[in-house]
Amino acid sequence: MSAILQPKHSGPRPARRCVGVRPLGWLFALGAGLLARSNALLAHTAALLALAAGLLALAAGLLIGTPVLAQTPGASGPPTAAVVLERLPHGLHLQGRVALLADPTGALTLEQVRQPVHAASWLYPVQLLRAHGPTVWWLRIRVAQPSPGGHWLLELPTTALRDVTFYGPLTPAGERLAGPLTTGLIHPFASRVLGSERAVFPVALPQPGTYTLYLRVQSSIPQHMTPTLWDARDHHLSRQHQRLFDGFIYGMLLTLLAAMVALHLALRDPVFLAFGFMAGFAGLSLMSFNGHAAQYLWPASPWWIEHSYVIFPALWLAACAAFARSFLHIQGKHRLANGFFLGFVFLCALALLLGVLGYTVWAQHLNEAVALSGSVCLTAIAARQWQRGYGPARWYLAGSLLPFMAVGTVVAVNWGWSEQLFWLHNSLEIGIVAQSLVFAAALSARIRFVWQQNTQLKQRSMHLAQAALTDTLTGLSNRRGLDEMGNALLRRPGRHALVLFDLDRFKPINDTLGHEAGDWVLREIGHRLRLHSRERDLVARLGGDEFVVLISQCPARPELDAVVERLRAALDAPIDYGAQCLQVSASAGVALTPDDGSELYSLLRAADLAMYSAKAGLRGQVFAADAPAGPNRTTLLQLA
């Protein structure tokens, strides 16, 4: 399951080594174990569920502790020297070169923070800077321009700072070379200088010298605010490359959305609709985090600009849960798993409500906690489904782990566990691309699985239907089979004949040798009738010792006489039963269409009268047309 947790940032990766990702490493080890050791996975599903509960408690603890951690400035070094401006392909990252001043009241002005009384309050952190409301942070940057005519851009690494004001550049005498510039989530998009998605401010330095830049920053949710100085040409090229990458991501998600809606309309399978919603809300979340939603969807609505950062991720998480529930076949089958999904959706709805009401900090933390703990729980549920024989669940495991790792890296950086910014910049997009590719294969595997299940179900239904029409002792059609298939055969063009056989001398075999011998004889009689009949003819056992052969498109009377006589002769042949030789004979009554009727019941009635006449006159076979009128034997002809 994938979930976007933080707006997109830009800027180069710092030189510091990532040192705080041990919890993320544990999660990665868990994911690798799920894919590489399937036997252990199947044996330890209960342990995974317990681990998921533990991680949920850990996420809740971090949720409570995050506001404190986010406002801790960290270690301080000596006062920062002026940054010598130089052109670098990836910009001049200012980590460890920015002075920081906390303003809990938010009432300080630029003139006040420049007073000597606040000189001792400035801190000089060496790590990445993080902002979190309601504290207002002042950033001070001293730059040295070695040559005249410098055209620089100061960029903050996120699109989600609530309120940002840039002051400067200021000369050593305190003279401002430009007026203040203000932007942020609570301002229309038109306030963003140069039309950039992020907070970017021009720094024009006409003469060599030392200058001071000030930033006043306030953010509702934890955000990085370590700035980068760019040469204007390099910044433009960097943004072009990033926009090309973002456009590819949006195009792929839009294509997935259209494809899933089309598949849902064609197949009426809710899993495709859920995946389409997941792709759609993923795209809207990314657009919000990248600043493109503010730029293109609601540039004049600060409310949407600010709240979309938590609203769309909550909807994305809910869509992820709906997709997982449908894909893993959880509906109405597993009470515990269904309870989890209901709780998951409730938390997503709560985060959505908090975001709408303006409690964006708590909505953000709840989204992050739900994403982390929910990913682990969904992994455990998928493992359990795999254990129960649902093969496509392994694809879900692979697909969910990829964005889970991306989400984990974002949370690790946002919560201070790591300072490796490369993954902060690109992990969400990479995770979404990887997940989409794997889930496409997962849906293909699911279609194959459902098709195989439907095929097996159809074969089983056909087998049961065939069994319902088959006599269990002889394997011939039973009364019901004769009724269904016989009427269908009689509707074919041509003349047909129905031959009714009644065995003679069968009862003494049952009485003297037992029913086992009688069953042996009946099976052998059925085998001989099938052997001496054509494939297009229908052979059935009415019950007891009565058999029917329905001859399709029968020959003329002389040839038909020979066919019936051949069948009778086959039944008269001795039957080996162990060391004994058993022998029965058969009396046959023959009815023809259309002379004796065109429906099965009328033909059976006519053939029964003819067979009764043959048995009474000690003749082997009698045609209904030749039989004298006699009493009806309706007890023999009650079709099931």
Side-chain angles (χ1 to χ4, degrees):
M1 184 192 65
S2 65
I4 296 183
L5 302 176
Q6 194 67 11
K8 185 174 180 181
H9 307 262
S10 68
R13 176 168 57 184
R16 289 173 57 103
R17 183 180 179 183
C18 173
V19 293
V21 293
R22 181 175 297 177
L24 183 60
W26 294 340
L27 297 180
F28 182 81
L30 170 64
L34 288 175
L35 293 179
R37 299 182 61 85
S38 60
N39 292 333
L41 168 66
L42 301 181
H44 296 88
T45 303
L48 288 176
L49 291 172
L51 177 60
L55 286 178
L56 179 60
L58 173 63
L62 289 171
L63 173 62
I64 297 173
T66 296
V68 177
L69 295 175
Q71 298 188 62
T72 303
S76 297
T80 56
V83 178
V84 179
L85 297 178
E86 57 179 328
R87 182 180 178 182
L88 297 176
H90 301 292
L92 184 59
H93 194 59
L94 300 179
Q95 179 179 346
R97 303 183 181 187
V98 180
L100 186 66
L101 174 65
D103 179 14
T105 65
L108 294 178
T109 64
L110 176 63
E111 288 70 21
Q112 290 173 331
V113 299
R114 295 181 64 235
Q115 296 297 321
V117 68
H118 293 289
S121 300
W122 287 93
L123 303 174
Y124 303 90
V126 296
Q127 73 273 27
L128 293 173
L129 305 180
R130 293 178 179 86
H132 185 277
T135 298
V136 171
W137 301 92
W138 285 87
L139 282 64
R140 185 180 67 196
I141 309 163
R142 301 186 188 276
V143 297
Q145 167 79 2
S147 59
H151 188 191
W152 305 90
L153 298 176
L154 182 67
E155 180 188 54
L156 289 170
T158 176
T159 65
L161 295 172
R162 190 170 187 270
D163 189 31
V164 183
T165 302
F166 172 70
Y167 300 93
L170 277 71
T171 66
E175 178 187 359
R176 297 189 196 178
L177 300 184
L181 299 173
T182 300
T183 187
L185 296 181
I186 61 175
H187 303 281
F189 185 81
S191 65
R192 304 191 186 185
V193 183
L194 306 178
S196 175
E197 309 93 60
R198 292 161 182 78
V200 179
F201 304 100
V203 181
L205 303 176
Q207 301 297 329
T210 301
Y211 301 87
T212 306
L213 313 177
Y214 286 92
L215 287 166
R216 183 185 182 274
V217 179
Q218 194 269 330
S219 177
S220 300
I221 53 181
Q223 293 291 310
H224 284 277
M225 57 178 180
T226 304
T228 301
L229 274 167
W230 290 83
D231 180 273
R233 294 163 293 180
D234 295 329
H235 181 269
H236 176 74
L237 183 61
S238 173
R239 296 311 306 152
Q240 288 295 102
H241 292 164
Q242 190 62 54
R243 289 187 181 116
L244 179 63
F245 179 71
D246 293 340
F248 169 77
I249 297 295
Y250 298 150
M252 190 190 68
L253 292 176
L254 184 61
T255 301
L256 281 174
L257 172 60
M260 293 303 110
V261 171
L263 286 173
H264 172 72
L265 294 176
L267 302 177
R268 298 296 177 181
D269 191 337
V271 70
F272 297 108
L273 188 61
F275 189 83
F277 276 116
M278 191 169 67
F281 287 129
L284 288 173
S285 299
L286 280 179
M287 289 184 68
S288 297
F289 294 162
N290 295 343
H292 296 127
Q295 184 175 8
Y296 298 110
L297 299 183
W298 34 76
S301 177
W303 190 93
W304 271 108
I305 292 175
E306 180 178 11
H307 293 78
S308 62
Y309 284 88
V310 293
I311 290 177
F312 288 123
L315 293 172
W316 187 11
L317 287 170
C320 289
F323 171 75
R325 184 172 182 266
S326 181
F327 182 84
L328 296 174
H329 283 296
I330 301 298
Q331 302 94 321
K333 297 180 180 179
H334 312 291
R335 296 179 61 183
L336 181 61
N338 271 298
F340 163 76
F341 282 110
L342 289 176
F344 191 97
V345 173
F346 171 77
L347 292 177
C348 293
L350 179 60
L352 177 63
L353 179 62
L354 291 173
V356 171
L357 295 178
Y359 299 98
T360 53
V361 176
W362 291 104
Q364 173 77 7
H365 295 331
L366 186 56
N367 279 338
E368 292 177 344
V370 168
L372 283 177
S373 57
S375 296
V376 178
C377 292
L378 286 177
T379 299
I381 292 173
R384 182 61 175 168
Q385 290 298 93
W386 187 9
Q387 180 188 18
R388 291 173 174 171
Y390 182 56
R394 68 182 184 273
W395 286 100
Y396 182 87
L397 287 172
S400 62
L401 287 174
L402 294 171
F404 180 39
M405 295 299 103
V407 168
T409 56
V410 171
V411 173
V413 177
N414 285 339
W415 289 2
W417 299 344
S418 169
E419 294 182 356
Q420 194 164 0
L421 290 182
F422 172 79
W423 293 107
L424 184 66
H425 302 156
N426 303 292
S427 61
L428 293 178
E429 287 85 347
I430 294 174
I432 292 172
V433 170
Q435 183 194 47
S436 299
L437 294 176
V438 174
F439 276 178
L443 288 173
S444 176
R446 184 181 182 277
I447 292 174
R448 290 195 301 271
F449 180 83
V450 172
W451 179 81
Q452 291 172 357
Q453 279 194 325
N454 290 340
T455 301
Q456 293 173 0
L457 182 61
K458 184 177 180 180
Q459 291 175 347
R460 179 174 176 81
S461 299
M462 293 175 60
H463 175 74
L464 293 176
Q466 184 66 29
L469 303 177
T470 303
D471 177 62
T472 56
L473 178 64
T474 62
L476 303 177
S477 296
N478 58 16
R479 286 175 178 263
R480 182 178 175 185
L482 177 64
D483 186 26
E484 291 191 10
M485 292 182 286
N487 281 314
L489 186 149
L490 291 174
R491 285 192 290 269
R492 297 175 185 173
R495 195 176 191 188
H496 312 293
L498 187 146
V499 185
L500 175 63
F501 292 99
D502 184 82
L503 300 183
D504 302 321
R505 296 178 292 171
F506 175 73
K507 189 174 184 300
I509 296 176
N510 257 346
D511 294 341
T512 58
L513 299 178
H515 288 288
E516 184 177 352
D519 290 346
W520 180 274
V521 171
L522 292 176
R523 281 193 292 268
E524 180 62 23
I525 293 298
H527 172 70
R528 292 180 181 183
L529 287 175
R530 226 178 6 241
L531 183 64
H532 290 85
S533 301
R534 300 169 300 177
E535 287 188 6
R536 63 187 183 186
D537 298 336
L538 177 63
V539 183
R541 180 191 174 208
L542 288 182
D545 58 354
E546 287 190 330
F547 294 83
V548 169
V549 177
L550 189 55
I551 303 175
S552 175
Q553 298 175 342
C554 65
R557 177 67 181 267
E559 291 83 359
L560 182 59
D561 281 336
V563 170
V564 176
E565 184 59 34
R566 185 173 69 250
L567 291 173
R568 286 188 60 256
L571 301 185
D572 289 345
I575 299 173
D576 293 330
Y577 178 66
Q580 303 182 59
C581 183
L582 308 178
Q583 190 166 17
V584 296
S585 59
S587 299
V590 184
L592 298 171
T593 61
D595 302 334
D596 302 318
S598 57
E599 298 294 331
L600 181 64
Y601 181 80
S602 58
L603 290 174
L604 277 171
R605 186 173 181 278
D608 181 63
L609 293 174
M611 184 271 295
Y612 181 77
S613 177
K615 187 180 288 288
L618 299 180
R619 292 181 291 171
Q621 61 190 51
V622 173
F623 279 75
D626 303 332
N632 294 338
R633 296 175 59 244
T634 57
T635 56
L636 297 177
L637 301 175
Q638 298 302 319
L639 290 176

